[in-house]
Amino acid sequence: MIGGGIIKAAMAKRGFKHRRTEDQFTIRGEYARNLQYVYSREQQTRGGLVVDLVYFCVDVLSEKLVIGLYRENPTIENGIYANGSRSLDLQKFNLENVERELDKLITPVKDRI
């Protein structure tokens, strides 16, 4: 599996979906082009709807893959439950290391947040 296959496999295993095309996640800048892939998953809990957004992007200067999590309840004001990120050296990019970082970042959703 090369690059995208590793990320797709790790996210599919966790029930996340990638719903947009590559062009919708491309931001063109004056000096660089930044690709950011976003995966999402929705869960209904007794406390309400919980939406997890996990994004992947590359910090070219630091040579790191950045993985971020944004967890929210979109039905209430200020319904943000988690907002964090982790990074992985690009030299260490493989399925095992991506899985390990995702396990640390994406904690289980409690039934009542």
Side-chain angles (χ1 to χ4, degrees), residues 32-91:
R33 184 174 163 177
N34 177 27
L35 281 179
Q36 179 173 304
Y37 291 98
V38 179
Y39 288 81
S40 65
R41 174 178 69 184
E42 295 180 1
Q43 297 177 346
Q44 189 65 42
T45 67
R46 287 189 296 185
L49 178 67
V50 176
V51 177
D52 285 347
L53 299 172
V54 176
Y55 63 86
F56 294 84
C57 60
V58 175
D59 180 346
V60 177
L61 292 176
S62 299
E63 297 180 356
K64 293 183 182 285
L65 173 70
V66 179
I67 307 167
L69 169 70
Y70 185 76
R71 180 174 283 163
E72 69 172 340
N73 181 337
T75 61
I76 61 175
E77 187 175 345
N78 297 327
I80 300 168
Y81 299 130
N83 186 6
S85 65
R86 299 197 56 86
S87 61
L88 175 68
D89 290 335
L90 291 178
Q91 293 177 347

Side-chain angles (χ1 to χ4, degrees), residues 2-4 6-7 65 88-95 97-98:
I2 304 277
I6 290 173
I7 292 171
L65 173 70
L88 175 68
D89 290 335
L90 291 178
Q91 293 177 347
K92 297 178 182 178
F93 180 75
N94 61 35
L95 182 58
N97 289 332
V98 169

Side-chain angles (χ1 to χ4, degrees), residues 7-27:
I7 292 171
K8 287 178 187 177
M11 296 310 290
K13 177 181 172 183
R14 289 168 173 75
F16 284 81
K17 293 188 178 3
H18 182 69
R19 294 193 172 99
R20 295 191 179 179
T21 65
E22 185 175 310
D23 286 344
Q24 290 173 304
F25 289 115
T26 302
I27 302 167

